[in-house]
Amino acid sequence: MGHELLEITRKVEDECCYLSQLIMVCSIDDGKALHQMYGVDLSKIIEVPNGVDLEKVNYVEIEKRYLNKQKLGLAGSFTAIFLGSWHSPNLEAVRHILKMAQELPNVNFLVIGSVGLAFRDEQRPANVGFMGAVDEETKDTAFELVDVALNPVTFGSGTNLKMLEYFASGIPVISTPIGARGLGIKDGKHCVVVELEKFSEAIAHIKYEDLATRQMRVESARRYVEENFDWQAIANNFIHEITDKFFDFKD
């Protein structure tokens, strides 16, 4: 039955792609996949990326993060955060985080989102905490205190919204290449991009990295989000593209 449903879904997708005049994708990689699967004409594909509402995101500089931790008596701690829903790529990412926690006992790992509910009955290292699904205020408070954000996902499609939230909030980020897919970000400039097996090493390195280097990277990431992934910028780019493709105002 599962295979039959998949075949029906494939046929529906194929027909939709054939009949459509315009196809919007979250990343150009998804557009290429549609082209390979269904022979879609790339000229009718427009990239409309996932975005973030910057007015609702509190950007916190590196030095302010340290002061926030100091007020709560956490100045000597180092915390890595992962944000995710109960979704297969995120579940696998948490399993990797549990292994990292064993390798890095002096780093605290905080998991926020419904993904943590899948692990509530499992044993975990003492330096791993699960908050479950939380409201925006609680999430924002956590984002203002953490030292680094992780995205150790190893499969998936589209783009990762968590990356944009991390960048917009001013949190230094370590991601796999898969986690950074479709965003056009540069390793070393906007965040640290490494393969999964290098994550523990990257976390240990950023823990002792000078604050000026960290601040320079998060500022670059924030600007990149402002220019490319703010909803208003996305809307403006979309309007410009469909105007060029489908409308002619010369007359």
Side-chain angles (χ1 to χ4, degrees):
M1 178 61 72
H3 288 292
E4 290 180 17
L5 291 173
L6 284 173
E7 181 59 23
I8 292 170
T9 301
R10 190 198 67 77
K11 289 180 179 178
V12 171
E13 285 185 337
D14 191 8
E15 186 174 1
C16 287
C17 288
Y18 175 75
L19 295 174
S20 298
Q21 292 178 283
L22 170 69
I23 300 175
M24 294 176 284
V25 295
C26 292
S27 75
I28 199 61
D29 290 340
D30 287 347
K32 291 176 181 178
L34 290 176
H35 172 69
Q36 292 172 353
M37 293 169 64
Y38 306 120
V40 176
D41 185 350
L42 290 174
S43 67
K44 66 178 185 180
I45 292 178
I46 293 180
E47 182 182 19
V48 184
N50 288 314
V52 61
D53 186 350
L54 293 175
E55 293 184 0
K56 295 183 178 179
V57 178
N58 186 24
Y59 174 76
V60 180
E61 297 181 346
I62 297 296
E63 188 173 345
K64 179 66 180 304
R65 291 178 181 282
Y66 179 77
L67 294 175
N68 289 342
K69 290 168 59 178
Q70 200 172 37
K71 290 178 182 178
L72 296 176
L74 301 172
S77 68
F78 188 89
T79 302
I81 196 169
F82 176 75
L83 173 71
S85 60
W86 191 325
H87 179 49
S88 293
N90 292 331
L91 293 171
E92 188 66 20
V94 170
R95 294 187 183 97
H96 294 309
I97 287 173
L98 294 176
K99 294 178 182 177
M100 295 175 208
Q102 294 177 326
E103 298 170 359
L104 299 169
N106 294 323
V107 174
N108 297 316
F109 293 83
L110 182 62
V111 178
I112 292 183
S114 57
V115 66
L117 300 176
F119 298 87
R120 55 189 167 190
D121 296 325
E122 295 188 20
Q123 289 188 330
R124 60 179 183 269
N127 58 330
V128 178
F130 291 100
M131 293 185 67
V134 299
D135 57 33
E136 287 296 313
E137 185 177 358
T138 302
K139 185 191 74 174
D140 290 346
T141 299
F143 271 31
E144 292 172 6
L145 294 167
V146 297
D147 300 282
V148 65
L150 307 178
N151 192 21
V153 298
T154 54
F155 62 97
S157 63
T159 55
N160 270 194
L161 279 171
K162 63 173 68 66
M163 290 287 285
L164 302 180
E165 286 196 68
Y166 294 159
F167 287 161
S169 300
I171 311 173
V173 178
I174 302 173
S175 175
T176 58
I178 291 294
R181 68 190 179 277
L183 297 175
I185 57 180
K186 295 181 179 179
D187 175 33
K189 181 178 181 179
H190 304 114
C191 66
V192 176
V193 181
V194 294
E195 296 294 346
L196 186 63
E197 58 269 20
K198 297 287 187 179
F199 254 67
S200 293
E201 181 182 332
I203 294 170
H205 175 78
I206 208 169
K207 181 179 179 182
Y208 298 105
E209 189 177 48
D210 65 278
L211 298 185
T213 300
R214 275 193 249 172
Q215 183 60 38
M216 181 176 62
R217 194 181 298 125
V218 299
E219 287 177 357
S220 179
R222 171 74 185 198
R223 285 195 301 271
Y224 189 70
V225 171
E226 290 174 348
E227 294 169 1
N228 298 280
F229 297 100
D230 175 68
W231 280 122
Q232 188 59 58
I234 291 170
N236 291 339
N237 290 336
F238 174 68
I239 291 170
H240 177 74
E241 286 204 47
I242 62 171
T243 299
D244 285 348
K245 281 180 178 287
F246 300 102
F247 301 97
D248 184 358
F249 293 115
K250 293 179 181 179
D251 297 330

